[in-house]
Amino acid sequence: SHNVVIFSQRRYGKTSLIKKVLHLATLEGFLTIYTDIYHILTEEDLVKAYAKALASTMEGSIEKIFQTLKTIFSSLRPKITVDADGKPEFTFGVESGRDPIMDLEEVLESVKKYADKKGVKAAVVLDEFQQIGQLQQAHRIESIIRSQIQSHRDISYIFMGSKKHLIFDMFSDPTRPLYGSGKMLPLEKIAPKHLKAFIFNRFHLTRKHIPKEVASRLVDVCESHPYYTQYVSHSLWEVTPFNSSITDIDLENYG
Ligand SMILES: Nc1ncnc2c1ncn2[C@@H]1O[C@H](COP(=O)(O)OP(=O)(O)O)[C@@H](O)[C@H]1O
Ligand SMILES: [Mg+2]
């Protein structure tokens, strides 16, 4: 399958990893779309988040993107608003009373049409995808997604999740619509030797020194959890003056 399901605990590095991968895919000419749906509460939120993610990958002037959006969506209405930093951004209005699942179908189709029109392959990431299972119409949403993605040969869908059993069930329970729709890829912790080398090099590159044994102990103390390892490393890095070395004592005090 060209669709994958990547899951692990929170803060193991999924989002960082996939953003790197999408960057590389962009360089190879892929249309890449990243949507984080952690905060969605309703079906409508999902539609808007996905439409916005598509809009944010489009290139050209605001006016040109606005026109493109108007032609690719038939029922969603794009609007230009200004975000907190004064930057223009697109938001989407829906027709009142319309079934949000129809809108979802439309957005999924629109991404496909847009990629086809540009003649490119696409990679679509739906991060924190397990949140879909919490929506009222979860079953219908999962069904629409399944029937849509089956016909999208030139799009790879990457479903990511932090609540392992929730996302696992969505794709491996035979009674669920998305059963078997993606290759399951559990993301394990980064191997300790890579984290140790990473810390050592980062200190070195910034004119600070960490003895290999200290880097090694640091990773062990954090049980190679990517987030905590970074957190502790950063605290130690901050207290170490340039051109000097941290010691075991520093690790005791700040770790
Ligand atoms: N390749 C890596 N090397 C070192 N640290 C990493 C790496 N990837 C992620 N991290 C650390 O782990 C933290 C959590 O990563 P994130 O991508 O947000 O995880 P997730 O999406 O799984 O919750 C990051 O803020 C970073 O500090
Ligand atoms: Mg994440």
Side-chain angles (χ1 to χ4, degrees), residues 10-11 13-16 34 36 127-128 160 162:
R10 281 188 66 214
R11 295 178 161 177
K14 293 181 297 301
T15 302
S16 313
Y34 172 85
D36 181 352
D127 202 353
E128 303 294 353
M160 306 217 294
S162 290

Side-chain angles (χ1 to χ4, degrees), residues 8-17 127-128 160 162 187 190 195 198 226-227 230-231:
S8 77
Q9 284 181 34
R10 281 188 66 214
R11 295 178 161 177
Y12 265 35
K14 293 181 297 301
T15 302
S16 313
L17 177 68
D127 202 353
E128 303 294 353
M160 306 217 294
S162 290
L187 187 74
I190 298 169
L195 277 178
F198 174 78
Y227 175 81
Q230 286 280 28
Y231 184 87

Side-chain angles (χ1 to χ4, degrees), residues 20-63:
K20 279 233 158 125
V21 172
L22 289 185
H23 177 69
L24 295 174
T26 308
L27 298 179
E28 293 199 7
F30 276 73
L31 170 72
T32 62
I33 298 177
Y34 172 85
T35 320
D36 181 352
I37 59 173
Y38 190 71
H39 291 108
I40 61 164
L41 296 173
T42 64
E43 285 73 9
E44 230 178 79
D45 293 343
L46 171 65
V47 170
K48 290 177 178 176
Y50 193 37
K52 196 169 167 176
L54 170 63
S56 72
T57 65
M58 292 180 170
E59 286 166 355
S61 66
I62 293 289
E63 291 74 20

Side-chain angles (χ1 to χ4, degrees), residues 213-225:
E213 319 77 75
V214 180
S216 181
R217 278 226 303 139
L218 191 163
V219 171
D220 294 342
V221 167
C222 295
E223 295 174 6
S224 37
H225 187 294

Side-chain angles (χ1 to χ4, degrees), residues 129-199:
F129 187 71
Q130 77 279 338
Q131 298 305 106
I132 294 220
Q134 313 298 302
L135 300 176
Q136 236 168 29
Q137 305 199 56
H139 193 87
R140 281 185 73 208
I141 297 173
E142 290 169 30
S143 302
I144 287 290
I145 295 177
R146 177 177 190 112
S147 62
Q148 280 284 326
I149 69 177
Q150 268 179 340
S151 60
H152 297 179
R153 292 273 156 246
D154 286 332
I155 303 183
S156 293
Y157 288 90
I158 299 135
F159 304 98
M160 306 217 294
S162 290
K163 292 180 184 149
K164 275 163 85 174
H165 64 283
L166 291 182
I167 188 139
F168 191 83
D169 285 353
M170 286 173 103
F171 291 89
S172 48
D173 173 349
T175 66
R176 299 282 287 270
L178 286 167
Y179 171 70
S181 294
K183 186 174 157 59
M184 305 299 276
L185 284 180
L187 187 74
E188 306 297 341
K189 281 180 185 168
I190 298 169
K193 66 169 187 195
H194 296 309
L195 277 178
K196 290 169 187 177
F198 174 78
I199 296 166

